[in-house]
Amino acid sequence: GAYLYERHGLEIDQFSFPIHENQKQEVDHHYKKNCRGYIHFKGPMFNPKFNSPVLKLDLTADEKVAFQPYHRVLSHPYAQGANEENLIATTYSLRDVFAEKIRALFERISANDLYDCIHLMNHPQMNEMRRLGIGVAIMDKFSAKNLPCKTDKDTFMNRTGSDGLPVNIKDAYQQQWEDCLSRLIIDVPPFEKAWEQLDSLLAFTNTSLTLAKKAIAKWQASHPNMDIRNLIDEQMQKDRYAQNKEEEAVITTCLSKRKSELILSEKTR
């Protein structure tokens, strides 16, 4: 708390990290535990007329991570961060993010999910290897929640609400669209423009799944003791390095320094 206040002018007001059990995820007769933390803080421009802002953290033990996470350099465009050392964060791969969003698209009705999936589908670096990884990750994500991996349009459109009655899916998304997205982005795209891309999104998802199933079958026949995910990880890491050499160099330097500091700390104990 003192460090944050002295360095950045942030004061921790209160925090809580309640733990709850996920009733949908049972392993060895025990429910997996999740935690949603809330950190209330006050910054240099805090106005006492309003509630303090809240940082929400979701900590979970029940998500399947299909591929190796990436290290990324955090963007810090503010002047007070100019002299700070580079901060490294561990993040999901795009394949895991996309697959989790696709599963969410079929589990619930949220305008955020539809927007995110369309945005990810149009990623400028989308290629066949990345699509293969997305297909594999989708299979893993559905399997981890014991859900049938059905991503066709009939399954998407024919759903029921909490009351058991059929839901008009298009109307449900349209009602949420402006309100949900305006809190997250400045220029909210027209709903109809996004809805027109639904068929392309579902086609993209299903061709990725087909690609993954064929590749897994072929790979297992010729390499029964090797996981195709390792091959995809290796190839994607090579592509990532080729496209982001400067960032990868910074990450390597930061991680090496962090490792040296940990070793030195262990020696001085």
Side-chain angles (χ1 to χ4, degrees), residues 126-178:
M126 190 60 66
N127 55 31
E128 187 168 342
M129 181 59 71
R130 191 167 265 123
R131 290 185 66 166
L132 169 59
I134 289 169
V136 172
I138 289 173
M139 294 167 63
D140 287 348
K141 301 289 183 180
F142 275 76
S143 176
K145 292 292 182 75
N146 298 316
L147 296 171
C149 195
K150 296 178 65 178
T151 56
D152 56 278
K153 191 169 184 178
D154 284 343
T155 301
F156 180 80
M157 297 297 293
N158 298 318
R159 287 185 270 178
T160 57
S162 56
D163 55 5
L165 298 176
V167 174
N168 185 312
I169 298 298
K170 182 178 180 180
D171 285 351
Y173 277 103
Q174 191 165 17
Q175 289 169 12
Q176 294 184 17
W177 192 255
E178 188 71 31

Side-chain angles (χ1 to χ4, degrees), residues 30-249:
H30 295 283
Y31 292 118
K32 285 196 172 183
K33 293 182 178 180
N34 295 335
C35 176
R36 173 166 290 179
Y38 299 90
I39 301 176
H40 300 253
F41 64 93
K42 297 175 182 177
M45 300 183 69
F46 172 69
N47 188 334
K49 292 181 180 179
F50 303 99
N51 293 328
S52 58
V54 181
L55 176 65
K56 185 179 77 172
L57 300 173
D58 283 312
L59 309 177
T60 179
D62 63 2
E63 283 297 346
K64 169 70 175 179
V65 181
F67 293 97
Q68 286 294 320
Y70 284 154
H71 295 300
R72 300 299 303 269
V73 177
L74 291 181
S75 174
H76 196 330
Y78 302 105
Q80 65 267 35
N83 297 320
E84 295 281 348
E85 292 186 13
N86 288 302
L87 299 176
I88 308 297
T90 304
T91 69
Y92 276 8
S93 68
L94 182 144
R95 289 151 281 158
D96 269 288
V97 172
F98 201 153
E100 222 163 85
K101 278 293 179 179
I102 289 293
R103 187 190 64 200
L105 197 66
F106 284 84
E107 279 190 295
R108 63 190 183 192
I109 299 174
S110 170
N112 298 352
D113 296 331
L114 181 59
Y115 173 85
D116 289 341
C117 286
I118 291 171
H119 186 71
L120 290 167
M121 175 183 68
N122 295 316
H123 192 284
Q125 295 177 0
M126 190 60 66
N127 55 31
E128 187 168 342
M129 181 59 71
R130 191 167 265 123
R131 290 185 66 166
L132 169 59
I134 289 169
V136 172
I138 289 173
M139 294 167 63
D140 287 348
K141 301 289 183 180
F142 275 76
S143 176
K145 292 292 182 75
N146 298 316
L147 296 171
C149 195
K150 296 178 65 178
T151 56
D152 56 278
K153 191 169 184 178
D154 284 343
T155 301
F156 180 80
M157 297 297 293
N158 298 318
R159 287 185 270 178
T160 57
S162 56
D163 55 5
L165 298 176
V167 174
N168 185 312
I169 298 298
K170 182 178 180 180
D171 285 351
Y173 277 103
Q174 191 165 17
Q175 289 169 12
Q176 294 184 17
W177 192 255
E178 188 71 31
D179 183 50
C180 286
L181 296 182
S182 61
R183 304 174 191 173
L184 304 172
I185 56 177
I186 296 173
D187 298 318
V188 178
F191 172 75
E192 288 297 337
K193 184 177 179 180
W195 191 255
E196 287 172 1
Q197 296 189 68
L198 176 63
D199 286 342
S200 296
L201 173 62
L202 297 177
F204 177 95
T205 301
N206 287 303
T207 53
S208 297
L209 280 168
T210 300
L211 182 66
K213 290 173 183 177
K214 289 181 178 179
I216 289 172
K218 185 176 181 180
W219 181 258
Q220 288 179 338
S222 56
H223 302 81
N225 298 320
M226 293 180 66
D227 192 335
I228 194 173
R229 293 163 186 79
N230 296 334
L231 173 69
I232 297 172
D233 264 331
E234 183 179 336
Q235 184 59 52
M236 293 306 303
Q237 190 61 42
K238 288 179 181 177
D239 292 348
R240 174 178 161 76
Y241 182 78
Q243 295 163 1
N244 305 282
K245 289 183 179 180
E246 290 185 7
E247 182 180 358
E248 289 298 313

